[in-house]
Amino acid sequence: RVVLSDAFALNSGLEDLLNRNIEANRDLLVHAGTWPVVTELEWGNTTQMESVLCAGGEAAAPYDLILASDVTYHEQHQVLANTIRSLLRRGDNRHLRGGVALISR
């Protein structure tokens, strides 16, 4: 299951851009056997987080991997960390596995 998300209310036109990118990569996605779902996710919004967990028609289930890019330009790092923690699957030892990389520009 692949979900693409952003806070569309904060970034007008982004939902359309994500859908155009999916369509532009149709052949690759069909070959890979997956089709991404586009949904809104504003960090900390529990209603939207539940929607992301159920995206793709699946029962609410956490994710094995979250890949994010250019997400730290707002000074909401704790809200972002809490959102990721809520969406990630816990490992066998019940601890979250993850990492963050930051490149200063």
Side-chain angles (χ1 to χ4, degrees), residues 9-30:
L10 302 175
N11 299 301
S12 64
L14 194 55
E15 183 176 12
D16 183 52
L17 177 63
L18 290 172
N19 281 309
R20 286 195 326 256
N21 283 335
I22 290 170
E23 191 59 40
N25 290 286
R26 172 182 283 282
D27 293 341
L28 177 66
L29 294 166
V30 168

Side-chain angles (χ1 to χ4, degrees), residues 24-81:
N25 290 286
R26 172 182 283 282
D27 293 341
L28 177 66
L29 294 166
V30 168
H31 181 72
T34 190
W35 196 258
V37 174
V38 174
T39 189
E40 183 170 18
L41 177 60
E42 182 179 344
W43 306 333
N45 183 316
T46 55
T47 301
Q48 291 176 358
M49 288 168 25
E50 185 64 27
S51 177
V52 168
L53 288 171
C54 296
E58 306 208 8
Y63 290 86
D64 295 320
L65 173 69
I66 294 176
L67 180 62
S69 176
D70 292 330
V71 295
T72 57
Y73 46 83
H74 296 295
E75 296 300 321
Q76 298 178 340
H77 301 116
Q78 190 60 51
V79 176
L80 172 60

